[in-house]
Amino acid sequence: DTSTGKCLKKLSSHKNVVTSLCCPPAGNPYGYDLCSGSVDKSIRLWNVENAKCVGKLKGHRHGITSVCVSHVNPNIICSGSTDATAAIWDARANKRVRQLVGHKESIDACSISADGEMLCSASEDGSLRVWELSTGQCLNTLRNFSGAGWIYSCDFSPAKRNLLCVGTHNHIVELWDVSGTTGGKLLNTFKGHRDAVMSVKFSNSGSKLISGGMDNELRFWDVASGKNIGRLQGHSNMVSSVAFMPSDEEVVSGSRDHTVKIWSVSD
């Protein structure tokens, strides 16, 4: 309960560290409210009201690092793994539909475009790959050069189909146009963090960005100008995950200091 900080449910089934969570859109007809990925190599689907696991997806050879769900078709779930592959899953059938091969190292983040047509996978090899969800074809490869730097997180804009933000080992947030087939276009770099950027997320309107870093800070950005419009301090260890609340007036952060914090970012 975000107003009281009280833990309402505890979901137990994974056999190792839970690395990633995502939720389908409200009214999802496929019987799950939450999706989780774990180092135990499995993805689990949960009915939160009953605190029960209602589906298990297995097929990766190593741990799951990232999960995301299509908000156009919540039957489609995608994942990234330390086995250097991404995967597309059928939630109803509890099976893998496609395995996506091409990265040379662990895939640490993945995101599905707002129209439900593309998946972006981000890897320790420094590259981003854009995949067509319907076919599994790799449409574009970005940042594919020596020294590009480890990528920790990525997020598609909910407002613009081809707009992607990326958090990097090089202390910066990158903004990319991923359209085309020849490497995309780097639109802007947001500088301010003093260490690696571990998590990035667009606001629900798509006009703002929040980022969390290994410097224990959150930074709030205007997408159009690239201006840093806020700096949030309070965690005592790295900020590993960030997200906007539905109103866009608050953000939530998770940290290795074992706390979750809710921040006001309204003007």
Side-chain angles (χ1 to χ4, degrees):
D1 184 321
T2 56
S3 63
T4 65
K6 181 181 178 181
C7 178
L8 301 178
K9 302 282 183 180
K10 183 178 179 180
L11 310 179
S12 300
S13 182
H14 283 295
K15 298 177 181 178
N16 209 320
V17 174
V18 177
T19 56
S20 183
L21 301 170
C22 65
C23 293
N28 166 39
Y30 298 112
Y32 74 98
D33 312 301
L34 179 70
C35 175
S36 60
S38 170
V39 175
D40 68 10
K41 308 177 191 178
S42 76
I43 298 164
R44 294 178 191 252
L45 310 180
W46 303 88
N47 180 305
V48 174
E49 183 66 27
N50 299 326
K52 290 184 177 180
C53 177
V54 294
K56 184 163 65 173
L57 311 176
K58 297 194 72 174
H60 279 294
R61 292 181 293 107
H62 299 302
I64 311 295
T65 57
S66 180
V67 289
C68 56
V69 60
S70 170
H71 279 241
V72 175
N73 179 7
N75 181 50
I76 300 298
I77 294 170
C78 295
S79 61
S81 168
T82 55
D83 65 14
T85 71
I88 303 171
W89 305 85
D90 183 323
R92 285 176 299 183
N94 281 343
K95 70 176 184 179
R96 184 171 61 188
V97 177
R98 287 186 176 86
Q99 184 181 41
L100 308 177
V101 179
H103 284 293
K104 297 177 181 178
E105 295 183 46
S106 172
I107 295 172
D108 285 354
C110 59
S111 180
I112 296 174
S113 60
D115 61 6
E117 295 182 0
M118 299 184 298
L119 169 71
C120 183
S121 56
S123 172
E124 290 180 17
D125 64 18
S127 72
L128 298 161
R129 286 180 176 260
V130 180
W131 311 85
E132 187 175 49
L133 276 181
S134 62
T135 65
Q137 177 186 356
C138 183
L139 302 175
N140 207 347
T141 303
L142 299 76
R143 302 179 88 256
N144 193 28
F145 56 87
S146 178
W150 197 327
I151 305 170
Y152 291 104
S153 56
C154 66
D155 188 44
F156 269 110
S157 168
K160 296 183 179 180
R161 178 183 190 271
N162 295 309
L163 194 62
L164 183 85
C165 64
V166 179
T168 76
H169 180 73
N170 299 329
H171 308 182
I172 61 175
V173 177
E174 297 177 350
L175 193 68
W176 285 88
D177 179 343
V178 304
S179 60
T181 59
T182 57
K185 182 179 180 181
L186 179 61
L187 301 174
N188 208 346
T189 55
F190 302 162
K191 299 179 180 179
H193 280 287
R194 295 171 290 110
D195 209 328
V197 179
M198 304 305 295
S199 185
V200 290
K201 196 73 177 176
F202 278 101
S203 63
N204 298 290
S205 68
S207 64
K208 304 290 192 301
L209 273 175
I210 193 74
S211 58
M214 203 173 282
D215 57 8
N216 307 349
E217 295 181 353
L218 293 87
R219 287 184 179 258
F220 190 44
W221 312 86
D222 179 78
V223 172
S225 67
K227 183 180 179 182
N228 185 190
I229 53 178
R231 178 186 178 195
L232 307 174
Q233 296 175 296
H235 283 296
S236 60
N237 206 326
M238 63 175 277
V239 180
S240 55
S241 58
V242 293
F244 277 84
M245 300 290 272
S247 68
D248 277 349
E249 295 182 354
E250 294 177 321
V251 295
V252 59
S253 58
S255 168
R256 285 195 181 174
D257 65 11
H258 305 168
T259 67
V260 173
K261 294 183 182 291
I262 298 172
W263 313 77
S264 173
V265 293
S266 57
D267 295 332

